[in-house]
Amino acid sequence: MERSPLPLGRPRTERADAARNREQLLAAAREMVAELGADKVTMDGLAERAGLGKGTVYRRFGTRAGIFHALLDDDEHAFQRQVLAGPPPLGPGADPLERLVAYGRARIAYLLDHVTIVRAALDRHRPVPAEGGSMFTQAHIRMLLGRADIGVADLDSLTVQLTSALEGPFMIFLALPGSGPEAGAESDAAFQRRARPLGAGWQTLVERVCRRT
């Protein structure tokens, strides 16, 4: 298993009953998102669906946005595990540049699949936060570039630029006026249609910029 460039960050000392409640609530939240849409998920509705007390839901998530933060955290950890210990070329065992292409394509697909949940996790009273997964992306890209031997002296600057190319369009979209938590599914769907070609663009970028000398 490849060592993580960043700690995954979830507390490892959670009580067994709290862990069970967490998994139960996350499973119920996923069902509600799939069946009803993210905008229909409420704290009280989640408690009823999960068969747990409202106090348990409020203690666990704090706010409605906290439900979606928890879903994103869970999915981000699963994504990172695939990168660090899954099969190649996304996971260890492939050429570094092949892995870099595979990572970008997988990351774009992940971000597209989570646009609606990310929106629901936003607090309209606060600015759009920095997306935590981009820290993992930056560390992973830097590691792969270091192993690729592409003859570039300043790998740190190249890493920042590639990270921005990969994660940036999604954060810009979320920060646009009228693109906050109140935006509808139609806007998300339109964005996904426009963004699908980004996977091919990422591969072209890596192949041209990171060509070995």
Side-chain angles (χ1 to χ4, degrees):
M1 176 176 175
E2 190 171 80
R3 184 176 179 182
S4 171
L6 291 172
L8 294 181
R10 184 179 299 160
R12 299 180 183 276
T13 57
E14 194 172 32
R15 296 194 325 268
D17 59 337
R20 283 194 302 272
N21 286 345
R22 179 182 185 280
E23 294 305 317
Q24 192 170 339
L25 287 166
L26 290 179
R30 292 185 196 284
E31 291 175 0
M32 294 180 73
V33 170
E35 294 174 15
L36 307 173
D39 59 326
K40 301 297 185 183
V41 177
T42 65
M43 301 287 270
D44 291 353
L46 179 58
E48 182 177 355
R49 173 68 69 101
L52 295 170
K54 295 178 183 180
T56 299
V57 177
Y58 280 88
R59 283 193 299 273
R60 168 59 67 176
F61 300 124
T63 65
R64 180 180 178 277
I67 298 171
F68 300 99
H69 277 288
L71 288 173
L72 288 171
D73 179 71
D74 198 56
D75 288 352
E76 180 66 35
H77 280 71
F79 176 83
Q80 292 183 19
R81 286 193 294 271
Q82 287 297 309
V83 173
L84 298 173
L90 182 59
D95 176 84
L97 292 186
E98 186 181 358
R99 289 191 70 191
L100 185 55
V101 169
Y103 180 83
R105 283 186 170 276
R107 187 67 185 171
I108 288 168
Y110 173 89
L111 292 170
L112 285 172
D113 288 343
H114 287 78
V115 165
T116 300
I117 295 179
V118 170
R119 282 186 180 283
L122 297 178
D123 185 334
R124 72 182 63 203
H125 301 296
R126 297 179 182 180
V128 175
E131 201 282 305
S134 64
M135 297 175 60
F136 178 87
T137 291
Q138 184 168 331
H140 189 62
I141 288 176
R142 179 61 179 84
M143 181 271 291
L144 292 175
L145 289 176
R147 294 181 179 179
D149 190 23
I150 59 174
V152 173
D154 189 358
L155 290 180
D156 291 334
S157 294
L158 179 58
T159 296
V160 171
Q161 291 169 325
L162 288 176
T163 302
S164 297
L166 186 56
E167 304 270 349
F170 298 92
M171 296 310 298
I172 291 171
F173 171 68
L174 292 171
L176 289 174
S179 297
E182 73 284 353
E186 183 177 352
S187 177
D188 291 343
F191 171 71
Q192 291 195 20
R193 287 193 299 272
R194 294 195 303 272
R196 289 292 175 192
L198 287 174
W202 170 258
Q203 181 166 348
T204 299
L205 176 64
V206 170
E207 290 174 347
R208 293 186 179 181
V209 172
C210 300
R211 185 182 297 113
R212 290 187 174 98
T213 57

